[in-house]
Amino acid sequence: MADVLPKKTVLKDVKIFKDLQEEIIKTNKCCACGACVAYCSSQKFDVIKMERYTPQYISDANVDNCKECGLCYYICPQTEPLMKHLNEDYRIKDEMGYIQDIVAAKTTDDKIKEMGQDGGLVTTLLTYLFDKNKIDAAIVSEYDEKLQPIPKIIYNKEELLKSSGTRYSISSNILPLTELYNIAQEIIENHHQIYDINQIRMAFVGTPCQCRAVRKMQLLNISPAHVIKYVFGLFCMENFDYEKLFQLVKKETNEDPANITKMNIKKNFFITNKENKVYEVELHKFDEAVRNHCHDCDEFTSRFADISFGGSGAVQQNSMVVIRTEKGEELMKNALISGYIDRFTPKKSTITEWKASKIDLLRRMTNNKIKKS
Ligand SMILES: Cc1cc2nc3c(=O)[nH]c(=O)nc-3n(C[C@H](O)[C@H](O)[C@H](O)COP(=O)(O)OP(=O)(O)OC[C@H]3O[C@@H](n4cnc5c(N)ncnc54)[C@H](O)[C@@H]3O)c2cc1C
Protein backbone atom coordinates (compact mmCIF):
# COMPACT_ATOMS: atom_id res chain seq x y z
CA MET A 1 0.00 0.00 0.00
CA ALA A 2 2.82 2.37 0.93
CA ASP A 3 4.28 1.88 -2.56
CA VAL A 4 0.97 2.75 -4.22
CA LEU A 5 0.41 5.93 -2.22
CA PRO A 6 3.69 7.25 -0.88
CA LYS A 7 3.27 9.41 2.25
CA LYS A 8 4.25 12.70 0.58
CA THR A 9 1.68 12.14 -2.19
CA VAL A 10 -1.14 11.64 0.32
CA LEU A 11 -0.19 14.77 2.22
CA LYS A 12 0.38 16.94 -0.84
CA ASP A 13 -2.91 18.81 -0.48
CA VAL A 14 -2.83 19.17 3.29
CA LYS A 15 -2.29 22.78 4.22
CA ILE A 16 0.35 23.34 6.88
CA PHE A 17 1.81 26.17 8.94
CA LYS A 18 3.58 27.62 5.88
CA ASP A 19 0.14 28.03 4.26
CA LEU A 20 -1.20 29.62 7.42
CA GLN A 21 1.68 32.10 7.22
CA GLU A 22 1.03 32.92 3.57
CA GLU A 23 -2.78 33.04 3.67
CA ILE A 24 -3.57 34.33 7.13
CA ILE A 25 -0.57 35.70 9.00
CA LYS A 26 1.21 37.68 6.28
CA THR A 27 -2.12 39.06 5.06
CA ASN A 28 -2.89 40.36 8.59
CA LYS A 29 -5.93 38.13 9.05
CA CYS A 30 -4.51 36.36 12.10
CA CYS A 31 -6.52 37.15 15.24
CA ALA A 32 -3.70 35.99 17.54
CA CYS A 33 -5.96 33.57 19.43
CA GLY A 34 -3.05 31.17 19.98
CA ALA A 35 -4.86 27.99 18.89
CA CYS A 36 -2.15 26.91 16.41
CA VAL A 37 0.62 27.36 18.97
CA ALA A 38 -1.38 25.71 21.78
CA TYR A 39 -2.08 22.62 19.69
CA CYS A 40 1.43 22.31 18.29
CA SER A 41 3.03 22.79 21.73
CA SER A 42 0.67 20.29 23.35
CA GLN A 43 2.06 17.69 20.94
CA LYS A 44 5.62 18.78 21.83
CA PHE A 45 6.42 19.19 18.13
CA ASP A 46 8.60 22.20 18.98
CA VAL A 47 7.83 24.07 15.78
CA ILE A 48 5.99 27.36 16.40
CA LYS A 49 5.66 30.02 19.08
CA MET A 50 3.73 33.27 19.58
CA GLU A 51 5.87 36.39 19.34
CA ARG A 52 4.20 39.77 19.90
CA TYR A 53 0.81 38.41 18.83
CA THR A 54 2.22 36.69 15.74
CA PRO A 55 2.55 32.91 15.46
CA GLN A 56 5.87 32.04 13.88
CA TYR A 57 8.51 29.32 13.61
CA ILE A 58 10.58 29.06 16.78
CA SER A 59 13.66 29.41 14.54
CA ASP A 60 14.65 28.65 10.95
CA ALA A 61 16.06 25.39 12.22
CA ASN A 62 12.66 24.33 13.52
CA VAL A 63 10.88 24.53 10.17
CA ASP A 64 11.79 20.90 9.42
CA ASN A 65 10.31 19.74 12.74
CA CYS A 66 6.85 20.39 11.28
CA LYS A 67 5.02 17.08 11.00
CA GLU A 68 2.85 18.54 8.24
CA CYS A 69 -0.26 17.27 10.04
CA GLY A 70 -2.10 20.40 8.91
CA LEU A 71 -4.07 20.74 12.13
CA CYS A 72 -2.82 24.26 12.84
CA TYR A 73 -4.34 25.31 9.52
CA TYR A 74 -7.66 23.56 10.10
CA ILE A 75 -8.24 24.88 13.62
CA CYS A 76 -7.39 28.47 12.74
CA PRO A 77 -10.60 30.49 13.21
CA GLN A 78 -9.84 32.35 10.00
CA THR A 79 -9.70 29.37 7.62
CA GLU A 80 -12.67 27.90 5.77
CA PRO A 81 -12.37 24.09 5.67
CA LEU A 82 -14.24 23.19 8.89
CA MET A 83 -16.82 25.96 8.85
CA LYS A 84 -19.58 23.97 7.15
CA HIS A 85 -19.39 21.17 9.75
CA LEU A 86 -19.12 23.63 12.60
CA ASN A 87 -22.18 25.57 11.44
CA GLU A 88 -24.13 22.31 11.20
CA ASP A 89 -23.05 21.16 14.66
CA TYR A 90 -24.01 24.47 16.26
CA ARG A 91 -27.27 24.77 14.25
CA ILE A 92 -26.15 28.03 12.66
CA LYS A 93 -28.36 29.14 9.83
CA ASP A 94 -27.90 32.90 9.85
CA GLU A 95 -25.74 35.73 11.19
CA MET A 96 -27.21 35.44 14.72
CA GLY A 97 -26.53 31.74 15.17
CA TYR A 98 -28.76 29.43 17.17
CA ILE A 99 -30.58 31.17 20.01
CA GLN A 100 -32.17 29.01 22.68
CA ASP A 101 -33.12 32.00 24.78
CA ILE A 102 -32.20 35.63 25.32
CA VAL A 103 -32.34 37.38 28.68
CA ALA A 104 -30.81 40.31 30.54
CA ALA A 105 -29.30 39.60 33.95
CA LYS A 106 -26.90 40.94 36.56
CA THR A 107 -24.81 39.65 39.43
CA THR A 108 -26.05 39.73 43.01
CA ASP A 109 -22.48 40.10 44.33
CA ASP A 110 -21.56 43.68 45.27
CA LYS A 111 -17.84 43.34 44.58
CA ILE A 112 -18.44 41.83 41.13
CA LYS A 113 -21.03 44.55 40.46
CA GLU A 114 -18.32 47.12 41.07
CA MET A 115 -15.63 45.38 39.01
CA GLY A 116 -17.68 43.84 36.19
CA GLN A 117 -17.99 45.40 32.78
CA ASP A 118 -21.75 45.19 32.40
CA GLY A 119 -23.82 42.91 34.64
CA GLY A 120 -20.73 41.04 35.88
CA LEU A 121 -22.34 37.87 34.57
CA VAL A 122 -19.18 36.24 33.24
CA THR A 123 -17.35 36.52 36.56
CA THR A 124 -20.44 35.43 38.47
CA LEU A 125 -21.10 32.32 36.40
CA LEU A 126 -17.44 31.34 36.70
CA THR A 127 -17.75 31.81 40.47
CA TYR A 128 -20.79 29.54 40.46
CA LEU A 129 -18.96 26.87 38.44
CA PHE A 130 -16.02 26.90 40.89
CA ASP A 131 -18.34 26.87 43.92
CA LYS A 132 -20.35 23.94 42.63
CA ASN A 133 -17.24 22.00 41.63
CA LYS A 134 -18.20 21.99 37.96
CA ILE A 135 -14.78 23.28 36.86
CA ASP A 136 -11.21 23.04 38.14
CA ALA A 137 -9.89 26.01 36.18
CA ALA A 138 -10.86 28.86 33.90
CA ILE A 139 -9.11 30.68 31.08
CA VAL A 140 -9.59 34.42 31.48
CA SER A 141 -7.82 37.64 30.61
CA GLU A 142 -6.16 39.54 33.44
CA TYR A 143 -4.18 42.76 32.91
CA ASP A 144 -1.09 44.59 34.11
CA GLU A 145 -0.85 48.10 35.60
CA LYS A 146 -0.89 49.54 32.07
CA LEU A 147 -4.06 47.64 31.08
CA GLN A 148 -2.12 45.26 28.87
CA PRO A 149 -4.13 42.01 28.72
CA ILE A 150 -2.63 38.87 30.26
CA PRO A 151 -4.36 35.66 29.18
CA LYS A 152 -4.22 33.19 32.02
CA ILE A 153 -5.46 29.92 33.45
CA ILE A 154 -6.72 30.39 36.98
CA TYR A 155 -7.41 27.53 39.38
CA ASN A 156 -9.68 29.08 41.99
CA LYS A 157 -12.48 31.62 42.29
CA GLU A 158 -10.46 33.97 44.50
CA GLU A 159 -8.50 35.04 41.43
CA LEU A 160 -11.56 35.83 39.35
CA LEU A 161 -11.94 39.51 40.21
CA LYS A 162 -8.54 40.23 38.65
CA SER A 163 -10.07 39.49 35.25
CA SER A 164 -13.43 41.28 35.61
CA GLY A 165 -14.13 44.11 33.20
CA THR A 166 -13.11 44.54 29.57
CA ARG A 167 -9.77 45.50 28.06
CA TYR A 168 -10.29 46.43 24.43
CA SER A 169 -7.10 45.01 23.04
CA ILE A 170 -6.07 41.59 21.95
CA SER A 171 -5.60 38.87 24.55
CA SER A 172 -4.45 35.52 23.14
CA ASN A 173 -6.79 33.53 25.32
CA ILE A 174 -6.11 30.07 23.86
CA LEU A 175 -2.36 30.45 24.32
CA PRO A 176 -2.29 29.66 28.08
CA LEU A 177 -3.29 26.09 27.20
CA THR A 178 0.33 25.60 26.09
CA GLU A 179 1.27 25.45 29.78
CA LEU A 180 -1.18 22.69 30.62
CA TYR A 181 1.11 19.76 29.90
CA ASN A 182 4.24 21.57 31.13
CA ILE A 183 2.84 22.00 34.62
CA ALA A 184 0.67 18.88 34.61
CA GLN A 185 2.44 17.36 37.61
CA GLU A 186 2.02 20.51 39.69
CA ILE A 187 -1.70 20.67 38.85
CA ILE A 188 -2.21 17.02 39.74
CA GLU A 189 -0.41 17.51 43.07
CA ASN A 190 -2.60 20.51 43.94
CA HIS A 191 -5.94 18.98 42.91
CA HIS A 192 -6.63 15.75 44.66
CA GLN A 193 -9.50 14.98 42.29
CA ILE A 194 -7.26 15.03 39.19
CA TYR A 195 -5.13 11.96 38.50
CA ASP A 196 -4.47 12.66 34.85
CA ILE A 197 -4.19 16.14 33.35
CA ASN A 198 -6.72 15.19 30.68
CA GLN A 199 -9.38 15.04 33.43
CA ILE A 200 -9.12 18.75 34.23
CA ARG A 201 -12.37 20.66 33.54
CA MET A 202 -12.10 24.23 32.33
CA ALA A 203 -14.30 27.13 31.38
CA PHE A 204 -13.12 29.39 28.57
CA VAL A 205 -13.89 33.09 28.11
CA GLY A 206 -13.14 34.71 24.78
CA THR A 207 -14.09 36.78 21.79
CA PRO A 208 -16.08 35.27 18.87
CA CYS A 209 -12.96 34.33 16.87
CA GLN A 210 -11.43 32.63 19.91
CA CYS A 211 -14.59 30.63 20.61
CA ARG A 212 -14.63 29.56 16.95
CA ALA A 213 -11.08 28.22 17.29
CA VAL A 214 -11.95 26.31 20.47
CA ARG A 215 -14.94 24.71 18.72
CA LYS A 216 -12.84 23.74 15.69
CA MET A 217 -10.37 22.03 18.02
CA GLN A 218 -13.24 20.26 19.76
CA LEU A 219 -14.75 19.23 16.43
CA LEU A 220 -11.49 17.47 15.62
CA ASN A 221 -11.26 16.24 19.20
CA ILE A 222 -7.71 17.44 19.60
CA SER A 223 -5.82 18.54 22.66
CA PRO A 224 -5.71 20.72 24.58
CA ALA A 225 -9.23 22.02 23.89
CA HIS A 226 -10.76 18.72 25.03
CA VAL A 227 -10.52 19.99 28.63
CA ILE A 228 -12.81 22.97 27.94
CA LYS A 229 -16.30 22.20 29.23
CA TYR A 230 -17.92 25.63 29.07
CA VAL A 231 -17.41 28.25 26.37
CA PHE A 232 -18.37 31.82 27.34
CA GLY A 233 -18.37 34.12 24.32
CA LEU A 234 -18.20 37.91 24.45
CA PHE A 235 -19.96 40.15 21.96
CA CYS A 236 -17.28 41.90 19.95
CA MET A 237 -17.64 44.66 17.36
CA GLU A 238 -13.89 45.10 17.06
CA ASN A 239 -10.65 44.62 18.90
CA PHE A 240 -7.73 47.01 19.04
CA ASP A 241 -3.98 46.95 18.81
CA TYR A 242 -2.74 47.80 22.32
CA GLU A 243 0.01 50.27 21.35
CA LYS A 244 -2.06 52.11 18.76
CA LEU A 245 -5.12 52.25 21.03
CA PHE A 246 -3.29 53.90 23.89
CA GLN A 247 -1.47 56.33 21.60
CA LEU A 248 -4.90 57.50 20.46
CA VAL A 249 -6.26 57.51 24.03
CA LYS A 250 -3.34 59.74 25.01
CA LYS A 251 -4.04 62.04 22.06
CA GLU A 252 -7.74 62.34 22.85
CA THR A 253 -7.66 62.46 26.68
CA ASN A 254 -4.03 63.05 27.64
CA GLU A 255 -4.35 60.02 29.94
CA ASP A 256 -1.82 57.19 30.24
CA PRO A 257 -3.13 53.64 30.61
CA ALA A 258 -1.77 53.50 34.16
CA ASN A 259 -4.24 56.20 35.17
CA ILE A 260 -7.28 54.58 33.55
CA THR A 261 -9.66 52.43 35.58
CA LYS A 262 -12.33 51.55 33.05
CA MET A 263 -13.01 51.65 29.34
CA ASN A 264 -16.42 50.97 27.87
CA ILE A 265 -17.80 51.14 24.36
CA LYS A 266 -21.42 52.23 24.21
CA LYS A 267 -21.80 53.87 20.79
CA ASN A 268 -18.86 56.09 21.84
CA PHE A 269 -15.75 55.21 23.83
CA PHE A 270 -16.08 56.04 27.54
CA ILE A 271 -12.80 56.25 29.40
CA THR A 272 -12.74 56.66 33.20
CA ASN A 273 -9.59 57.76 35.01
CA LYS A 274 -8.51 57.13 38.60
CA GLU A 275 -10.03 60.46 39.70
CA ASN A 276 -13.36 59.22 38.30
CA LYS A 277 -13.33 61.67 35.41
CA VAL A 278 -15.15 60.20 32.41
CA TYR A 279 -14.09 61.11 28.86
CA GLU A 280 -16.47 60.41 25.98
CA VAL A 281 -14.67 60.10 22.67
CA GLU A 282 -16.30 59.33 19.33
CA LEU A 283 -15.58 55.74 18.42
CA HIS A 284 -14.38 56.48 14.88
CA LYS A 285 -11.41 58.35 16.36
CA PHE A 286 -9.98 54.93 17.24
CA ASP A 287 -10.50 53.39 13.79
CA GLU A 288 -6.78 53.39 13.02
CA ALA A 289 -6.16 51.12 16.01
CA VAL A 290 -8.68 48.43 15.02
CA ARG A 291 -6.97 45.11 14.31
CA ASN A 292 -7.03 44.23 10.66
CA HIS A 293 -8.62 40.80 11.14
CA CYS A 294 -11.72 42.43 12.66
CA HIS A 295 -12.49 44.02 9.29
CA ASP A 296 -13.19 40.57 7.82
CA CYS A 297 -15.10 39.21 10.79
CA ASP A 298 -18.82 38.50 10.45
CA GLU A 299 -19.44 37.52 14.09
CA PHE A 300 -20.65 39.95 16.72
CA THR A 301 -22.46 37.78 19.25
CA SER A 302 -20.17 34.71 19.53
CA ARG A 303 -22.25 32.16 17.68
CA PHE A 304 -20.22 29.17 18.92
CA ALA A 305 -20.45 29.83 22.65
CA ASP A 306 -22.59 28.00 25.20
CA ILE A 307 -23.61 31.47 26.37
CA SER A 308 -22.76 34.84 24.82
CA PHE A 309 -22.53 38.07 26.82
CA GLY A 310 -22.56 41.75 25.92
CA GLY A 311 -23.69 45.14 27.10
CA SER A 312 -25.58 46.04 23.93
CA GLY A 313 -29.33 45.97 24.40
CA ALA A 314 -29.24 45.37 28.15
CA VAL A 315 -30.82 47.70 30.67
CA GLN A 316 -28.31 49.59 32.82
CA GLN A 317 -25.96 47.39 34.87
CA ASN A 318 -27.20 44.21 33.27
CA SER A 319 -25.57 41.97 30.68
CA MET A 320 -27.37 40.83 27.57
CA VAL A 321 -27.21 37.05 27.64
CA VAL A 322 -27.73 34.86 24.59
CA ILE A 323 -28.15 31.24 25.59
CA ARG A 324 -27.17 28.85 22.82
CA THR A 325 -26.85 25.33 24.21
CA GLU A 326 -28.62 23.07 26.71
CA LYS A 327 -25.55 23.29 28.91
CA GLY A 328 -25.71 27.09 28.82
CA GLU A 329 -29.41 27.05 29.65
CA GLU A 330 -28.94 24.73 32.60
CA LEU A 331 -26.11 26.85 33.97
CA MET A 332 -28.16 30.06 33.77
CA LYS A 333 -31.14 28.36 35.39
CA ASN A 334 -29.10 26.94 38.28
CA ALA A 335 -27.21 30.20 38.91
CA LEU A 336 -30.56 31.99 39.08
CA ILE A 337 -32.13 29.44 41.45
CA SER A 338 -29.03 29.54 43.68
CA GLY A 339 -29.22 33.34 43.95
CA TYR A 340 -25.98 34.16 42.11
CA ILE A 341 -27.74 36.26 39.48
CA ASP A 342 -30.89 38.35 39.09
CA ARG A 343 -32.83 38.27 35.87
CA PHE A 344 -34.38 41.38 34.40
CA THR A 345 -38.06 40.64 33.90
CA PRO A 346 -39.99 42.62 31.34
CA LYS A 347 -43.78 42.88 31.87
CA LYS A 348 -45.25 39.42 31.32
CA SER A 349 -47.42 40.53 28.42
CA THR A 350 -44.42 42.01 26.62
CA ILE A 351 -41.84 39.24 27.05
CA THR A 352 -42.14 37.86 23.52
CA GLU A 353 -41.91 41.34 22.00
CA TRP A 354 -39.02 42.25 24.29
CA LYS A 355 -37.00 39.20 23.22
CA ALA A 356 -37.78 39.79 19.55
CA SER A 357 -36.69 43.42 19.80
CA LYS A 358 -33.39 42.45 21.45
CA ILE A 359 -32.65 39.85 18.78
CA ASP A 360 -33.52 42.45 16.17
CA LEU A 361 -31.10 44.95 17.67
CA LEU A 362 -28.28 42.42 17.84
CA ARG A 363 -29.00 41.35 14.25
CA ARG A 364 -28.78 44.96 13.09
CA MET A 365 -25.50 45.40 14.95
CA THR A 366 -24.14 42.18 13.44
CA ASN A 367 -25.13 43.33 9.96
CA ASN A 368 -23.47 46.70 10.57
CA LYS A 369 -20.31 44.85 11.46
CA ILE A 370 -20.58 42.75 8.30
CA LYS A 371 -21.23 45.85 6.17
CA LYS A 372 -18.15 47.56 7.61
CA SER A 373 -15.96 44.61 6.54
C1 LIG B 1 -12.45 43.36 22.56
C2 LIG B 1 -13.87 43.36 23.07
C3 LIG B 1 -14.86 44.08 22.39
C4 LIG B 1 -16.18 44.05 22.86
N1 LIG B 1 -17.13 44.75 22.16
C5 LIG B 1 -18.41 44.73 22.59
C6 LIG B 1 -19.42 45.45 21.87
O1 LIG B 1 -19.15 46.07 20.84
N2 LIG B 1 -20.69 45.41 22.34
C7 LIG B 1 -21.03 44.70 23.47
O2 LIG B 1 -22.19 44.69 23.86
N3 LIG B 1 -20.08 44.01 24.17
C8 LIG B 1 -18.80 44.02 23.75
N4 LIG B 1 -17.84 43.32 24.45
C9 LIG B 1 -18.26 42.51 25.63
C10 LIG B 1 -18.40 43.36 26.89
O3 LIG B 1 -17.38 44.32 26.97
C11 LIG B 1 -18.33 42.47 28.16
O4 LIG B 1 -17.19 41.64 28.09
C12 LIG B 1 -19.54 41.57 28.29
O5 LIG B 1 -20.73 42.35 28.31
C13 LIG B 1 -19.48 40.76 29.59
O6 LIG B 1 -19.61 41.63 30.66
P1 LIG B 1 -19.75 41.09 32.15
O7 LIG B 1 -19.94 42.26 33.03
O8 LIG B 1 -20.74 39.98 32.16
O9 LIG B 1 -18.30 40.42 32.32
P2 LIG B 1 -17.26 40.50 33.52
O10 LIG B 1 -17.80 39.74 34.68
O11 LIG B 1 -16.79 41.87 33.70
O12 LIG B 1 -16.08 39.60 32.87
C14 LIG B 1 -15.42 40.03 31.72
C15 LIG B 1 -14.63 38.87 31.14
O13 LIG B 1 -14.04 39.33 29.93
C16 LIG B 1 -12.76 38.80 29.78
N5 LIG B 1 -11.97 39.75 29.01
C17 LIG B 1 -11.66 41.01 29.34
N6 LIG B 1 -10.94 41.58 28.36
C18 LIG B 1 -10.78 40.65 27.40
C19 LIG B 1 -10.10 40.65 26.15
N7 LIG B 1 -9.45 41.69 25.69
N8 LIG B 1 -10.16 39.51 25.41
C20 LIG B 1 -10.80 38.41 25.87
N9 LIG B 1 -11.45 38.36 27.06
C21 LIG B 1 -11.43 39.48 27.81
C22 LIG B 1 -12.24 38.60 31.19
O14 LIG B 1 -11.42 37.48 31.24
C23 LIG B 1 -13.51 38.38 32.02
O15 LIG B 1 -13.68 37.01 32.28
C24 LIG B 1 -16.51 43.33 24.03
C25 LIG B 1 -15.51 42.61 24.71
C26 LIG B 1 -14.21 42.62 24.24
C27 LIG B 1 -13.14 41.83 24.97
Side-chain angles (χ1 to χ4, degrees), residues 105 112 115-126 139-143 149-150 160 162-173 205-208 210 232-240 262-266 283 300 308-313 318-321 362 365:
I112 300 178
M115 305 285 288
Q117 185 69 5
D118 293 305
L121 256 265
V122 173
T123 307
T124 306
L125 292 178
L126 292 175
I139 305 184
V140 294
S141 177
E142 293 186 358
Y143 52 101
I150 305 172
L160 272 172
K162 290 192 243 163
S163 63
S164 285
T166 300
R167 274 64 56 194
Y168 290 95
S169 57
I170 209 82
S171 177
S172 303
N173 279 10
V205 181
T207 53
Q210 296 171 350
F232 289 177
L234 307 172
F235 294 2
C236 183
M237 193 53 85
E238 56 210 352
N239 210 337
F240 298 85
K262 185 160 183 167
M263 297 174 85
N264 203 348
I265 298 180
K266 290 271 179 301
L283 194 52
F300 171 56
S308 315
F309 306 86
S312 305
N318 278 252
S319 299
M320 207 67 230
V321 183
L362 297 179
M365 291 184 74

Side-chain angles (χ1 to χ4, degrees), residues 8 13 23 26 35 56 79 83 105 120 126-127 131 137 141 178 188 197-198 242 260 276 326 329 332 356:
K8 282 288 170 195
D13 293 331
E23 292 177 31
K26 286 187 185 161
Q56 53 193 255
T79 61
M83 286 314 298
L126 292 175
T127 306
D131 279 350
S141 177
T178 49
I188 291 166
I197 195 62
N198 295 305
Y242 174 84
I260 292 170
N276 256 335
E326 305 285 331
E329 186 166 48
M332 277 297 288

